[in-house]
Every structure is written in structure tokens, then in C-alpha cells.
Amino acid sequence: MKEPLEYYKSKLCRNKVYIKQTEQRSSMFFCGKLFFFAIAILCLCIWWFETKSVIMIGSTFCFLLIYFFMVYLDNNEINKKEKLVRINKVIEREVCNLRGQYTGHDGKEYMSSTHPFTYDIDIFGKNSLYQSINRTVTCDGANKLSEVLSHTGLGKETILMRQAAVRELEALSDYRIEHISCSHISTPFRELLTKTMPSSLNVLPLKILLAFSWSVSVANIIFLLICCLASLSITIPVLVMAGIIFFNGSISLFYFHKGNRVIQKLKFLISLCESYSPIISLNRKEIFKSQILCDIQEKNIFHSRHIRKAINMNELLNFRNNFILWFLSNATVMIDLLVLNKFVKWERSAITDLQILLENIGQLDAFISLATFNFNHPRATVPSIMKSGLKGVDVYHPLMKSNNAIGNDYTQEESVISIITGANMSGKSTFLRALALNIVLGNAGCKVCADSFGFNPNLKLFTSMRTQDDISNGKSYFNAEIDRLSNAIDYCVQNPHTLLILDEVLKGTNSEDKLKGSIELLEYFSGQQIMAIIATHDLGVTKLENIYGVDKYVNFCFEIELTTPIHYTYKMNRGICRNKNASYILNKMLNSKIKRK
């Protein structure tokens, strides 16, 4: 398999060649259109001014047919070019994403500081995991992707099914790019469906009026034909026809303002349905094997019939674009009433199915984003399922440009608390975030950023790493941290299989009180059999391993080498860190200030 960057660049070059070829063919067809149209006009003029030959009029029609065929071919080439241009824009964005320049929506509307983990580990927001993954083209897809990245502990069956779907889509690179190149549908379809429901419109009078008008019209046409065949006076049928036209026109004008608002919403709804058609057509062409994708495709094919009906209704609305056609169609068959009646009937049978269709398209949209993330990270690996706890080897952060490994072989048993110490900037917090993000990716069905990674599929996640004060509500940093810890304990009690990740707890108090409080907190966690990982600068906490043993507490550390410059290994080992860098770096900074003077 090609490397992502190599694949994108080669496809970009090929598409540029194809675009030039389509432009050349389009130019040729354009010249052909002008030529055959001019020849057709010339033949028509010769027939009109010189001779009334059948050959000339026949030639005119033949050249016009060739002209229309050239128009058809030219439109095909224009559509091909537009499609290739859209695909190239997608590829160029993917190249930017590979360089860490994320161009997709960042999902900041999904951010919540009260969520168990998304706020602490940058799931949403600028340069977040969501932004690096997001390739969705529908609102439902964006919502589904946010939902996927916001839940863990989904169970073995769900995760394995997601892995199969994402892995299958990962191999379909051309299909994924073509899907992403579809026009972005930014309108919240679900909200629009609710707004367009004409529940207050009583269609029974419409049905009665249509039935009456059409019955009288058909009877009058039959009567007119009989009069013509029997050489009788046609005065009565003509007067009846005039009365029908007056009746139809009056009723149409009466319902014009009443139904205009519904019809305008219907037109917008139909245009939105048309925007989903390319996605559905593209999905229908593929042959899938994974259960999730097969289910999505089957439901899309079944429910898309409602979109076809909506598009067919649009043809009836085209009469409104021309006043004369609109007047004639309403005067004869009351086309507006027919559309209103059809729409209400369609709405009652289609809305529920369309909701299901949109959810399926959104789910497909989200999985295509996840599969693209997989394709763009060839070094990542598919996680394995463990019965309990988790095990990672050389975990690395999915959003780090360098992808340097953080930690070595690391195993976290359930009901065990890991205590991680290390100097500033040694990699503690990055390791915690990388570990948490890999759990999220694993539950999403994605590859994870590690040489190997195994986790309990029922494992929930709760973090406390980025607590903030709230001055407007009179809440100090310490109060906010205590509230977060209280929520963490409640969550862990309600969800026994929970990994609790803490980064430097009780920062809002003095050192002695902080150490005492941290020890009491960890002893409480151990008593409640809460699985936790805590990063701390308080070396006094590490004595818990000696007191209670490795069945309860295990010490890990990120060590540094105090050289010039300082060497950060970003490797985690068993034990307690020995070297510290705060005073070392501060002294070097102060000495540099003194030398300047």
C-alpha cells in the first residue's frame, strides 16, 4: 500500500491531466455545437428562402439532433471537470492535514467542561482530535462523529463491528475521497423537517375540489368530442370549459397565499433532498462486506425512494417559474392544489423514514472520517481486546507532528493505582493524554497510536486534568477541583470498569496539605477498588507502593538527563524519578540575565 502523501500527490497529478483532457474535449464539443447549429440554421434558411425541399428540412432536423448530442457530451465533460476539481480540493486539504494544518470544522460547539473526558484531552476545539478526524459533509455526520468520540466502554461486539467497517472503508480510498468531495450540506435537515410539516393544512377540501374539477373536466371533454363527432353545437361544452377555468383559477388564487409558504419550504426541502442524492448514488454503487456498512447501504436503498418522490414533485413546481405556464396549469388542473395534496401525503409517510435515512447517512459520513484518519496514519495499529485493564507499548500522541514514542511497555491492571513522577516537560501529561486518546480511538473502531495496544472493551474513562476556576460564580480553583474529584468518584462508583486519569491533583493548596490530601485520596480510591493513573510532583506519594505493595500501587517515572542541553528521553520506567529540572533551568536563566548586565 502506498504511503498517504505519495498516494495523494500521485492522484492529484493524474487528476490534473484528466482535467486538461476534459477541457480539450469540452472545447472540441463546443466548436462542434457552433458548427452544427450554424449548419442547421443555414439549411433552414435555404429551405425557407430557396426551396421547400424535404431533404433540406430533414437535414435541418438531423443537424439539430447532432447539435443537441454535442450539448449532451459537452455537459458531461463539464460535469467531469467540476467533479475532478472538487476531488483535487479534497486531496489538497488532506495534504495540509498530513502536515498538521487542520482545515476541517473543529467541533467547538460540542465542548463541555462537565463531560467525563472530552474537555481534558482536547477531543473538541482548535487542533483537536475531532478536527484532525473530521471529514463529514453532513450535519448528521458531524453529530454522529462527535457522539462516537464522546463515549467509551461500548463492549467487544460493537467495537469489533466498528473496526471491520472502518478497515473496509480505509481500503476504499477513491470512494472515500469522492464522498468527501460531495457538496457540504450545512443545513440541519432534522430541524428543517420539523419546520416544513404542514400539520395545520386540512387536505380534505383539496381532495374534494380536485375530484370535482377533474370529474367535470373529463365529462366535459367527452361531451365535447361527442358534439364534434355528431356535428352538434359546441356552445355548451365551451361555456362549461370556461366555467371550469374560472372555477379552477379562483380556487388556485384563494389557496395561493395559504399554500405559498408551504410550497416555498417544500422547494427548499426538495433542493436539500437533491443534495443528498450524490451520496446515496455513490453508496449504492459499492459492494460492502462488513455488517455495519451493509446495513447502512440496505436502509439507504430502501428509504431513498422518498427522496426520489420529493424530486419528482419538484418537476410539478417548475410550472411556477413561468407565469403563463403557472396560470394555464392551475386553470386546467389546479397544479398548486395537486402539489399541496401530494406533499402532505408524502410528508405523512416519509418523515419517519427520512429521519432514519439521515441517521444512516450521518453514520456513514462519520465512518468515512474515521477511515480517512486510519489511512493517514499508517504507523498506527489496530488495538486488541483484553479481558481487563489495558496494555500499551510505545504509546505516542496522535496529534504530535513528530509522533515520538512516549513510554515503553506499560500495563494497567484493574483495581491498581499507577503513580507517575517526573520532571517538568518530561512527558507525564502527554503520556496521560495519549493513553486516554488511544482509548477513545479504540472505542471508535480506529487504529491507535502505539506499537501495540490492548484494552478492556467495557472500560469507561474519566479524567481530571484541566480544572478551571469560575470567578463570575465565586468558585475558586480549589473548589472547582474538589467538585471535579467528587464527580469522578460518583462516576467510578456508578461505572465499575472506569479508568480514572488525574494530572497533579490538589494544585490549589500548599505543599504539605497537598501531599496529605493526595495520599488520603489515593487510599480512598484503593479502598473502593478504583483503577486510576495519577501524575504528580509529590514524591512523598510514591511511598504507598512500599506500604501497600504492587497489588495496590505501582510507581512509574519519566527520567531526564541533566546535560547541556537537558536530554528528555520520553521513556517511562518503573520506579521514582531522581532528577528535577525546575531549579536547574531557573538558575541557567538567572545566570544568563546576570551575564547580560
Side-chain angles (χ1 to χ4, degrees):
M1 183 183 289
K2 287 185 178 180
E3 287 291 312
L5 188 59
E6 182 185 350
Y7 166 79
Y8 290 134
K9 286 185 176 180
S10 63
K11 190 168 182 63
L12 197 63
C13 291
R14 286 199 307 271
N15 285 352
K16 287 181 179 178
V17 173
Y18 294 153
I19 288 173
K20 287 183 180 179
Q21 291 174 350
T22 56
E23 288 175 344
Q24 291 170 357
R25 288 194 293 267
S26 182
S27 299
M28 182 179 67
F29 292 138
F30 178 77
C31 293
K33 286 191 298 183
L34 292 178
F35 174 77
F36 286 108
F37 185 75
I39 294 294
I41 295 298
L42 180 62
C43 289
L44 183 63
C45 290
I46 293 172
W47 177 83
W48 184 267
F49 294 106
E50 296 293 332
T51 176
K52 300 297 182 180
S53 170
V54 176
I55 296 176
M56 278 298 159
I57 195 65
S59 299
T60 300
F61 281 112
C62 288
F63 287 126
L64 282 176
L65 286 174
I66 296 173
Y67 163 76
F68 286 121
F69 182 63
M70 288 289 177
V71 170
Y72 170 76
L73 293 177
D74 190 25
N75 288 337
N76 275 351
E77 295 303 320
I78 291 172
N79 292 334
K80 286 179 184 177
K81 178 186 173 182
E82 290 176 351
K83 179 180 176 180
L84 289 169
V85 169
R86 291 197 307 269
I87 287 174
N88 277 3
K89 287 181 179 179
V90 170
I91 296 172
E92 288 168 357
R93 288 199 299 267
E94 289 303 327
V95 172
C96 290
N97 289 329
L98 287 175
R99 293 170 180 163
Q101 302 167 356
Y102 305 124
T103 57
H105 181 58
D106 58 15
K108 61 182 179 180
E109 68 270 22
Y110 305 115
M111 291 177 67
S112 172
S113 59
T114 60
H115 190 273
F117 59 83
T118 58
Y119 186 77
D120 286 338
I121 60 176
D122 300 317
I123 297 294
F124 304 111
K126 188 176 180 181
N127 294 327
S128 62
L129 181 67
Y130 179 90
Q131 189 174 28
S132 70
I133 292 177
N134 184 25
R135 305 292 188 279
T136 57
V137 295
T138 67
C139 286
D140 288 273
N143 292 335
K144 182 62 180 179
L145 181 60
S146 71
E147 181 185 330
V148 168
L149 298 179
S150 300
H151 293 85
T152 58
L154 303 174
K156 181 178 179 179
E157 185 178 353
T158 299
I159 293 173
L160 291 178
M161 287 173 60
R162 284 184 175 182
Q163 285 181 352
V166 172
R167 187 164 53 245
E168 185 174 1
L169 287 171
E170 181 186 356
L172 301 174
S173 298
D174 292 345
Y175 168 73
R176 285 188 287 102
I177 289 175
E178 194 170 344
H179 174 96
I180 299 169
S181 69
C182 292
S183 299
H184 187 79
I185 305 168
S186 57
T187 306
F189 205 168
R190 197 179 312 279
E191 182 180 332
L192 182 65
L193 286 174
T194 304
K195 288 182 179 178
T196 52
M197 292 181 186
S199 55
S200 60
L201 187 63
N202 186 4
V203 294
L204 182 59
L206 302 183
K207 293 180 179 179
I208 295 173
L209 291 171
L210 283 170
F212 173 76
S213 174
W214 290 0
S215 299
V216 174
S217 296
V218 170
N220 189 58
I221 291 170
I222 295 171
F223 181 49
L224 179 63
L225 290 174
I226 292 172
C227 290
C228 292
L229 293 173
S231 300
L232 300 175
S233 174
I234 60 171
T235 304
I236 294 176
V238 168
L239 290 175
V240 172
M241 185 177 294
I244 292 171
I245 291 173
F246 178 77
F247 173 80
N248 290 349
S250 300
I251 296 297
S252 297
L253 285 174
F254 175 78
Y255 274 97
F256 179 80
H257 295 291
K258 196 171 184 179
N260 193 49
R261 186 170 58 181
V262 174
I263 288 177
Q264 291 303 318
K265 288 181 180 179
L266 171 60
K267 290 179 74 172
F268 185 62
L269 179 60
I270 289 172
S271 68
L272 207 53
C273 285
E274 289 176 333
S275 64
Y276 275 84
S277 291
I279 298 175
I280 295 171
S281 299
L282 183 64
N283 177 250
R284 188 178 297 174
K285 294 175 185 176
E286 289 294 328
I287 300 174
F288 297 112
K289 297 179 181 178
S290 62
Q291 184 178 339
I292 289 179
L293 297 181
C294 287
D295 289 345
I296 289 173
Q297 188 178 53
E298 183 180 349
K299 291 176 182 177
N300 283 353
I301 292 172
F302 177 76
H303 295 299
S304 61
R305 70 187 192 278
H306 296 297
I307 286 186
R308 289 196 298 272
K309 287 181 180 179
I311 293 172
N312 291 336
M313 276 192 286
N314 194 34
E315 309 219 347
L316 296 175
L317 292 175
N318 288 333
F319 287 102
R320 283 184 155 238
N321 298 329
N322 186 302
F323 176 77
I324 296 174
L325 286 177
W326 174 82
F327 176 78
L328 291 175
S329 60
N330 275 290
T332 53
V333 294
M334 294 195 288
I335 195 74
D336 278 2
L337 270 68
L338 178 64
V339 171
L340 284 174
N341 186 49
K342 277 182 169 290
F343 174 63
V344 173
K345 184 180 178 181
W346 172 84
E347 173 255 323
R348 288 173 180 170
S349 62
I351 292 300
T352 303
D353 285 349
L354 277 177
Q355 298 276 15
I356 297 172
L357 177 63
L358 299 183
E359 289 174 3
N360 276 283
I361 293 175
Q363 189 177 14
L364 174 66
D365 209 12
F367 277 119
I368 284 176
S369 294
L370 296 170
T372 303
F373 178 84
N374 267 16
F375 179 81
N376 288 349
H377 293 78
R379 184 189 163 191
T381 185
V382 177
S384 58
I385 303 299
M386 297 175 61
K387 291 183 179 180
S388 64
L390 57 93
K391 182 177 182 179
V393 180
D394 283 343
V395 175
Y396 60 92
H397 199 290
L399 302 181
M400 287 177 62
K401 294 179 183 179
S402 61
N403 279 348
N404 289 327
I406 308 166
N408 299 99
D409 189 358
Y410 173 79
T411 300
Q412 176 66 48
E413 299 290 347
E414 294 198 13
S415 303
V416 173
I417 297 173
S418 296
I419 301 170
I420 303 175
T421 55
N424 295 293
M425 302 182 295
S426 61
K428 301 187 303 299
S429 298
T430 304
F431 170 74
L432 295 181
R433 285 190 170 88
L435 195 63
L437 285 169
N438 278 332
I439 293 172
V440 173
L441 288 172
N443 278 271
C446 280
K447 294 177 181 177
V448 295
C449 298
D451 287 348
S452 66
F453 192 82
F455 68 102
N456 179 358
N458 299 311
L459 190 68
K460 299 284 187 181
L461 182 64
F462 197 102
T463 62
S464 180
M465 305 175 69
R466 190 178 286 163
T467 309
Q468 292 182 333
D469 57 8
D470 189 351
I471 297 175
S472 61
N473 291 321
K475 182 179 285 189
S476 67
Y477 181 89
F478 179 76
N479 285 337
E481 191 172 18
I482 293 298
D483 288 346
R484 184 67 178 176
L485 289 173
S486 176
N487 292 335
I489 292 170
D490 293 340
Y491 187 88
C492 291
V493 170
Q494 294 170 8
N495 302 277
H497 296 287
T498 297
L499 173 64
L500 178 58
I501 297 179
L502 307 174
D503 189 10
E504 202 63 46
V505 297
L506 303 178
K507 291 190 287 288
T509 187
N510 63 74
S511 300
E512 182 180 349
D513 199 24
K514 175 185 176 184
L515 175 59
K516 182 180 178 182
S518 297
I519 291 174
E520 290 178 353
L521 182 66
L522 294 183
E523 288 177 337
Y524 177 82
F525 287 162
S526 181
Q528 296 294 320
Q529 295 188 328
I530 294 174
M531 177 171 51
I533 305 175
I534 178 172
T536 181
H537 288 286
D538 287 326
L539 299 184
V541 177
T542 60
K543 67 182 182 181
L544 291 171
E545 181 183 320
N546 293 329
I547 296 173
Y548 296 100
V550 294
D551 292 336
K552 297 289 185 180
Y553 302 92
V554 180
N555 291 326
F556 294 93
C557 68
F558 282 91
E559 198 58 270
I560 63 171
E561 297 176 12
L562 295 176
T563 57
T564 303
I566 296 174
H567 177 60
Y568 296 92
T569 63
Y570 301 117
K571 296 295 182 182
M572 187 167 66
N573 301 297
R574 283 280 283 114
I576 305 168
C577 76
R578 301 301 175 189
N579 295 327
K580 305 174 183 64
N581 63 351
S583 58
Y584 182 83
I585 294 173
L586 184 62
N587 285 332
K588 289 180 71 68
M589 183 270 289
L590 293 175
N591 288 334
S592 67
K593 298 290 183 183
I594 293 171
K595 288 179 181 179
R596 287 180 187 176
K597 293 182 179 180

